[in-house]
């Protein structure tokens, strides 16, 4: 038998990121869905997202310019297999050159589906121009249709403006419109059925998102989260849900058909609702996201503690190949589950990332 020399075993290094192809990771996933934050600033202060006083905003020079955004998106699409783009923030409408940014992306990537997540403030006067610039469709965040609740939750009395924005988006043809809502116990949870009623009446698809530990106040507690299961109970008097027969594909939302209690399941549904259980049933195994922050850093996961600076090498004159390779390497290290290879959101070892949702680009 060979004698041991007492030398520690060499660790087999993990295989390096591939030098070609798309944004794959060590767990066999491929990211094709790009979330790009245009700005960290916002004109609301939703309690589940931002502190009352706002944040220390990024200085203008640190934000990606329109040209830099286009370059990064084009490399993603042409070299890395990115198939769709969602613009987000902060609040994308706070960016004055938004129409120009979208128009420039559209010119570089004529076939790319471009959507945007927004609070809709100011959309009433910009929806048509955004559609003309090349925006394909829109997701609007709206947690209450009652003015007092809206004001308490967002710390701004601006429900009218948001509703005007939703109407304008609809009229401009930015549908199908999806409405995102976060429910908070004792604040708007009791209004879940009202919000669903309103969304169905207007033909919008409502998605309830579980409150994630990415709030600026760091006051998130697992026990306080209104789970997807609880949402079903909250709306049960007025609505019955049955699984949507259409395939879920890469969507984090579990989709349901909505009917009135007692109605026949063969009858056409009133509409659909999505439940996004990011906390209680994370969708990590099928995640297809790659995220770019407003200052051009790659985050492979919402809950990451690490980022990779892409804008730095863009500004240093990197070639498209170099940009693509840095991106591949960043995504290769994507953690197995929310933020970590070992612990999930429900674990007591879970550590909230420093960045809040608005600073990541949700
Ligand atoms: N300002 C835009 C808006 O509100 O739609 C875009 C950015 S916002 C960060 C994107 C989405 O993240 C919104 O739908 C918002 O409701 C959601 N969000 C923010 N903080 C969250 C949190 N802590 N947990 C779950 N969702 C959150
Ligand atoms: Fe602003 Fe959107 Fe965060 Fe609300 S959720 S504070 S609208 S970034």
């Amino acid at each position: 038998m060979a004698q041991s020399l007492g030398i520690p075993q060499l660790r087999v290094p993990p295989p390096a990121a591939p030098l070609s192809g798309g944004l794959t990771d060590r767990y066999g996933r491929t990211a094709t869905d790009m979330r790009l934050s245009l700005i960290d600033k916002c004109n609301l202060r939703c309690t589940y997202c931002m502190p009352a006083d706002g944040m220390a905003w990024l200085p203008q020079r640190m934000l990606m310019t329109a040209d830099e955004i286009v370059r990064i998106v084009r490399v993603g699409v042409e070299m890395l297999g990115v198939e769709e783009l969602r613009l987000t923030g902060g609040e994308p409408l706070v960016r004055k050159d938004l129409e120009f940014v979208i128009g420039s992306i559209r010119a570089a990537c004529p076939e790319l589906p471009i959507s945007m997540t927004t609070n809709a403030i100011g959309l009433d006067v910009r929806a048509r121009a955004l559609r003309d610039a090349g925006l394909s469709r829109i997701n609007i965040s709206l947690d209450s249709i009652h003015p007092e609740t809206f004001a308490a939750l967002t710390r701004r009395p601006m429900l009218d403006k948001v509703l005007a924005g939703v109407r304008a988006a609809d009229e401009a043809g930015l549908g199908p419109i999806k409405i995102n809502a976060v429910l908070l116990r004792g604040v708007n949870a009791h209004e879940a059925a009202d919000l669903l009623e309103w969304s169905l009446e207007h033909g919008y698809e409502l998605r309830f998102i579980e409150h994630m530990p990415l709030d600026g106040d760091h006051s998130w507690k697992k026990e306080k989260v209104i789970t997807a299961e609880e949402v079903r109970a909250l709306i049960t008097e007025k609505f019955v849900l049955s699984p949507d027969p259409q395939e879920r594909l890469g969507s984090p939302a579990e989709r349901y058909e909505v009917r009135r209690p007692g109605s026949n399941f063969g009858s056409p549904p009133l509409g659909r609702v999505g439940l996004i259980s990011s906390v209680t049933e994370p969708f990590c195994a099928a995640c297809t996201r790659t995220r770019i922050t407003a200052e051009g850093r790659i985050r492979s996961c919402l809950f990451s503690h690490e980022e990779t600076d892409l804008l730095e090498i863009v500004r240093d004159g990197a070639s498209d190949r170099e940009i693509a390779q840095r991106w591949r390497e960043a995504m290769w290290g994507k953690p197995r589950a929310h933020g970590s290879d070992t612990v999930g959101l429900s674990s007591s070892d879970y550590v909230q990332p420093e960045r809040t949702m608005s600073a990541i680009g949700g």
Side-chain angles (χ1 to χ4, degrees):
M1 198 168 73
Q3 195 173 345
S4 162
L5 297 173
I7 299 172
Q9 265 201 332
L10 276 178
R11 262 192 50 205
V12 182
L19 296 170
S20 63
L23 296 170
T24 52
D25 68 39
R26 298 161 299 155
Y27 299 99
R29 297 166 295 191
T30 304
T32 53
D33 173 3
M34 177 175 178
R35 301 277 156 122
L36 185 138
S37 173
L38 293 172
I39 189 162
D40 56 331
K41 272 190 197 145
C42 187
N43 40 16
L44 295 184
R45 297 286 180 273
C46 305
T47 56
Y48 54 76
C49 178
M50 274 208 197
D53 297 339
M55 320 272 292
W57 310 123
L58 289 169
Q60 181 70 29
R61 68 185 151 73
M62 286 182 73
L63 295 178
M64 290 180 286
T65 64
D67 284 352
E68 289 163 347
I69 291 169
V70 172
R71 175 101 190 273
I72 289 173
V73 172
R74 191 179 51 69
V75 169
V77 171
E78 291 178 359
M79 302 181 71
L80 297 169
V82 166
E83 292 171 0
E84 56 185 299
L85 172 67
R86 167 86 53 85
L87 301 173
T88 179
E91 176 44 51
L93 288 166
V94 169
R95 231 179 125 136
K96 294 201 173 67
D97 63 350
L98 181 60
E99 291 78 356
F100 179 70
V101 170
I102 292 175
S104 308
I105 300 172
R106 176 55 70 223
C109 308
E111 305 299 328
L112 182 68
I114 306 174
S115 61
M116 181 168 87
T117 304
T118 172
N119 64 25
I121 292 171
L123 195 56
D124 51 343
V125 292
R126 295 175 78 181
R128 202 160 286 276
L130 291 168
R131 201 269 325 270
D132 292 348
L135 186 63
S136 317
R137 49 162 303 276
I138 211 154
N139 285 2
I140 294 174
S141 301
L142 177 60
D143 308 302
S144 171
I145 45 154
H146 299 293
E148 302 78 34
T149 312
F150 181 93
L153 210 147
T154 62
R155 302 187 178 107
R156 299 285 186 273
M158 296 176 113
L159 177 63
D160 286 353
K161 284 194 174 302
V162 174
L163 295 179
V166 180
R167 271 194 303 277
D170 206 354
E171 284 161 16
L174 286 170
I177 294 181
K178 291 186 182 163
I179 303 288
N180 289 350
V182 177
L183 294 179
L184 300 181
R185 208 174 291 288
V187 183
N188 64 339
H190 60 289
E191 298 175 4
D194 293 355
L195 197 53
L196 181 53
E197 186 84 63
W198 177 86
S199 305
L200 293 167
E201 259 171 36
H202 290 84
Y204 308 145
E205 181 173 319
L206 176 63
R207 291 131 39 103
F208 289 108
I209 307 173
E210 286 180 350
H211 183 201
M212 294 181 261
L214 293 169
D215 55 320
D217 287 334
H218 291 253
S219 61
W220 182 90
K221 290 216 167 46
K222 181 149 190 276
E223 315 74 73
K224 290 205 309 198
V225 174
I226 306 277
T227 64
E229 208 39 56
E230 217 176 325
V231 172
R232 298 172 66 114
L234 285 166
I235 58 176
T236 193
E237 268 185 32
K238 290 180 87 175
F239 302 106
V240 176
L241 306 189
S242 56
D244 184 354
Q246 283 172 25
E247 227 189 310
R248 187 174 174 179
L249 293 173
S251 163
E254 198 92 60
R255 292 173 89 226
Y256 294 89
E257 291 183 340
V258 186
R259 292 183 177 78
R260 298 282 177 205
S263 61
N264 181 341
F265 277 102
S267 63
L270 301 169
R272 287 176 176 73
V273 67
L275 303 181
I276 304 184
S277 328
S278 328
V279 175
T280 55
E281 278 177 59
F283 198 53
C284 305
C287 179
T288 54
R289 307 266 158 84
T290 181
R291 293 173 189 276
I292 307 285
T293 66
E295 75 267 53
R297 296 184 176 182
I298 304 161
R299 284 181 76 88
S300 60
C301 171
L302 256 183
F303 296 89
S304 291
H305 292 277
E306 289 169 6
E307 297 175 348
T308 304
D309 201 338
L310 200 56
L311 186 57
E312 173 189 52
I313 64 164
V314 170
R315 289 188 175 173
D316 284 350
S319 66
D320 286 358
R321 280 171 62 114
E322 287 164 333
I323 294 170
Q325 193 52 27
R326 182 169 281 202
W327 204 337
R328 277 189 203 102
E329 280 160 13
M331 292 306 293
W332 186 248
K334 181 179 173 101
R336 183 183 61 80
H338 272 161
S340 151
D341 282 334
T342 49
V343 300
L345 293 187
S346 358
S347 159
S348 51
D349 293 335
Y350 171 78
V351 181
Q352 178 167 346
E354 256 178 55
R355 275 192 196 260
T356 63
M357 193 68 144
S358 64
I360 297 167

